[in-house]
Amino acid sequence: MNCETCHLNELELEPLEIKDVLRCILHTIFFHRTLTLVRPKDVDCDLFEITYVQCGLAELEKEVDEKINQFIAWAEKHPNRKSQVCLSFFDEKNKHPGWFSSKTERVFWEQWFINLHVTSPKGQGKSRGYKAPANTKGQALEETSSRRDALSLLIQEVLFQIINYANEKKDHIPPISDRIFNHEILVPR
C-alpha cells in the first residue's frame, strides 16, 4: 500500500496564534478522514474569522489539545524557528507472529505535513520599562490586525487545500472501519 503525503502551505504565525491555527487545521483533517458516524460540531476560532468543524469526539479533542500544548512548549524553547507537525494515518498489521509474541507493524497510508514558522511578536525585544507613545500602540494594534487578516486568508487557503486533497485522494484509504482511523500526531521535541 502506498503512503500518500500532503504538504500544506507554510503559515507564519506568532506563539499566541498556534493553538487556534493547529486546532483548526488538525480538526479539519480529522473531519475529512473520519468515515464513521460523528456528531459534527461547528467551532469558531478565537483570533480569526474562521469557523471549522470538529468530529465531536471528546477523546480526539483532548489528544489534539495535548499535542498542541507540546508543540507550544517546544516553540517557546525554540523561538523564530520553522517546524512541522505531522498527522499520520495507519493500519496495524500482524508481523510474523511467533510462539511468545505477536508483533504488529504500522503501515502508514497517509501523512499530512503542517508547515509552520513561529515568529516572535513585533516589539517583543524592547525593554519592559519602556512605555510606547499612544500613537505607536495604535499603529501596533493596526499592524497586528492587518497581519491577522492576512494570516486568516492563508489559513483559509490551507483549509481549501485540505478539502481538495481529501476529496481527490481517496483510492489509498483502507476499507471503512467502525471507528476513527489509527493515527499519530508528531510534534518536534
Side-chain angles (χ1 to χ4, degrees):
M1 181 182 294
N2 290 336
C3 180
E4 293 285 338
T5 59
C6 181
H7 293 270
L8 299 174
N9 297 340
E10 182 178 282
L11 296 173
E12 187 174 310
L13 62 155
E14 294 179 357
L16 179 67
E17 300 161 337
I18 293 171
K19 189 169 279 199
D20 238 10
V21 170
L22 281 178
R23 273 185 181 157
C24 178
I25 292 171
L26 288 168
H27 282 294
T28 299
I29 295 168
F30 277 117
F31 182 75
H32 286 279
R33 281 301 184 239
T34 301
L35 303 176
T36 185
L37 279 175
V38 294
R39 293 178 189 252
K41 180 170 91 172
D42 286 349
V43 178
D44 295 323
C45 289
D46 293 330
L47 302 174
F48 306 98
E49 293 288 326
I50 295 175
T51 301
Y52 61 95
V53 180
Q54 287 184 350
C55 295
L57 302 170
E59 297 156 16
L60 183 61
E61 290 175 35
K62 181 180 175 194
E63 178 188 1
V64 167
D65 283 346
E66 285 173 0
K67 291 297 184 174
I68 291 171
N69 289 334
Q70 287 176 16
F71 181 80
I72 290 170
W74 178 87
E76 287 172 353
K77 293 176 187 170
H78 303 89
N80 296 316
R81 298 269 300 269
K82 291 186 179 192
S83 56
Q84 228 174 34
V85 173
C86 178
L87 170 57
S88 301
F89 293 99
F90 61 89
D91 266 346
E92 286 188 332
K93 305 278 186 194
N94 285 334
K95 182 181 180 182
H96 309 295
W99 280 80
F100 299 106
S101 68
S102 66
K103 294 190 177 195
T104 59
E105 70 175 322
R106 290 182 173 181
V107 178
F108 292 92
W109 51 269
E110 188 170 86
Q111 293 183 312
W112 297 81
F113 294 95
I114 304 165
N115 299 296
L116 302 172
H117 182 191
V118 182
T119 61
S120 297
K122 296 252 194 263
Q124 189 181 43
K126 294 181 180 169
S127 68
R128 293 177 188 250
Y130 174 76
K131 191 164 186 169
N135 64 344
T136 306
K137 287 181 182 177
Q139 284 177 323
L141 287 173
E142 192 175 309
E143 284 178 19
T144 298
S145 177
S146 63
R147 195 190 58 72
R148 282 227 174 111
D149 289 345
L151 180 55
S152 182
L153 292 173
L154 294 173
I155 295 167
Q156 289 174 25
E157 285 179 21
V158 167
L159 296 179
F160 284 121
Q161 191 180 1
I162 293 167
I163 294 165
N164 288 334
Y165 183 90
N167 287 333
E168 291 171 7
K169 303 277 186 169
K170 296 178 183 177
D171 295 340
H172 64 286
I173 299 176
I176 296 175
S177 65
D178 59 348
R179 58 182 164 61
I180 193 162
F181 287 117
N182 290 329
H183 63 273
E184 69 180 3
I185 303 170
L186 295 177
V187 297
R189 292 184 176 249

